[in-house]
Amino acid sequence: MAETSENRRYDRVLLKISGEALMGDQTFGLHPPTVERIAREVQSVRDMGVEVCMVIGGGNIFRGLQGSAQGMERTTADYMGMLATVMNALAMQGALEKLGIHTRVISAITMNEVAEPYIRRRAVRHLEKKRVCIFAAGTGNPYFTTDTAAVLRATEMNCQAIFKGTKVDGVYDKDPEKHDDAVRYDKITYDDVLQKHLKVMDASAIALARDNDLPIFVFSLDEPGGFRGILAGEGTFTRVTET
């Protein structure tokens, strides 16, 4: 399928990736070659004329739920996790700008020295100017995951789809890394995801996507060209939709 404005599938999308996706083969922190590889994936989609925004988790640095489970007060732990997402967003911004892509880090927690505050109209304008917007610090509230933040921002930015990059090439009926007979879904409904407790996104995020009829594409971030391929009508993925 040719990559023209007439037959490209979407014009504005949000890419959601976990903080762990930036670790590479490490067990903690950032792996610069992996960050650069993901930045090139974003570049390839942007070169198609697609407007791209991103939400990156912070689990490679600090995970709020984990801190809470170890005795830390939950609200404090969640705020620490939000700060971790800002660090990841800045790393991705650096990698994208090395490729010549104008990028804005937009934080739900005010920190003017390192990121813009979240103002919806300003963020939309950045996208219209073909800048990549990286939304950091989640929703700015504890008890909400970056999955929920991704769906919220995608809805506010009038994105046509969310692309969730993972370590596997879609949604399976059980963990494919533990079960050889795991079956991948080509397509599944929001309600089935919720009823079967499939680990696509947390329940709040799925419900919000359902209420706003926002499709979610789950694909492997480790597959070179996977993000671009789906937008060109190719590749292996699972689509989560209403029907």
Side-chain angles (χ1 to χ4, degrees):
M1 183 178 289
E3 297 165 7
T4 66
S5 59
E6 287 76 23
N7 58 23
R8 157 178 95 222
R9 304 183 74 181
Y10 299 110
D11 295 311
R12 180 180 293 172
V13 301
L14 184 141
L15 174 64
K16 166 63 171 71
I17 60 177
S18 67
E20 287 87 347
L22 306 183
M23 293 192 305
D25 294 329
Q26 303 173 161
T27 57
F28 178 83
L30 291 157
H31 183 239
T34 298
V35 177
E36 290 166 12
R37 177 180 62 78
I38 295 172
R40 287 192 296 271
E41 293 278 332
V42 174
Q43 180 187 41
S44 70
V45 167
R46 185 179 167 278
D47 288 347
M48 296 171 68
V50 179
E51 296 170 3
V52 180
C53 43
M54 301 179 68
V55 169
I56 307 173
N60 57 318
I61 298 170
F62 188 87
R63 186 178 290 278
L65 265 177
Q66 214 167 49
S68 177
Q70 294 173 0
M72 186 176 291
E73 196 271 323
R74 173 65 188 270
T75 301
T76 299
D78 279 357
Y79 278 120
M80 291 174 68
M82 291 180 218
L83 296 178
T85 72
V86 177
M87 296 171 69
N88 286 338
L90 291 172
M92 183 58 65
Q93 180 185 42
L96 287 166
E97 293 194 336
K98 278 177 64 178
L99 297 172
I101 299 170
H102 294 296
T103 307
R104 295 292 185 271
V105 172
I106 300 172
S107 174
I109 297 175
T110 303
M111 47 183 78
N112 292 329
E113 288 76 12
V114 297
E116 290 186 8
Y118 176 70
I119 300 171
R120 179 184 172 275
R121 289 181 181 272
R122 182 187 292 176
V124 169
R125 186 63 179 143
H126 286 319
L127 291 172
E128 291 172 347
K129 290 183 176 180
K130 309 305 178 186
R131 296 165 180 158
V132 173
C133 291
I134 307 175
F135 297 110
T139 66
N141 301 289
Y143 298 95
F144 289 92
T145 68
T146 52
D147 281 343
T148 301
V151 178
L152 175 64
R153 296 295 183 238
T155 303
E156 290 175 311
M157 294 299 106
N158 295 317
C159 290
Q160 295 157 308
I162 293 179
F163 288 75
K164 180 164 184 181
T166 68
K167 293 186 178 295
V168 293
D169 58 356
V171 180
Y172 286 77
D173 61 348
K174 47 190 158 185
D175 190 342
E177 295 183 355
K178 297 178 180 176
H179 304 277
D180 293 335
D181 60 343
V183 176
R184 184 180 62 80
Y185 298 100
D186 288 326
K187 188 176 178 182
I188 191 168
T189 67
Y190 305 111
D191 288 339
D192 281 342
V193 169
L194 293 171
Q195 290 166 10
K196 296 178 181 180
H197 303 287
L198 300 175
K199 295 180 179 179
V200 179
M201 288 180 161
D202 66 77
S204 297
I206 294 295
L208 185 59
R210 179 191 60 194
D211 292 346
N212 289 280
D213 196 20
L214 187 64
I216 303 168
F217 290 85
V218 183
F219 70 104
S220 173
L221 201 63
D222 294 333
E223 184 67 31
F227 186 21
R228 178 178 178 277
I230 300 171
L231 283 158
E234 304 162 357
T236 303
F237 55 87
T238 297
R239 179 174 178 171
V240 183
T241 56
E242 185 64 51
T243 57

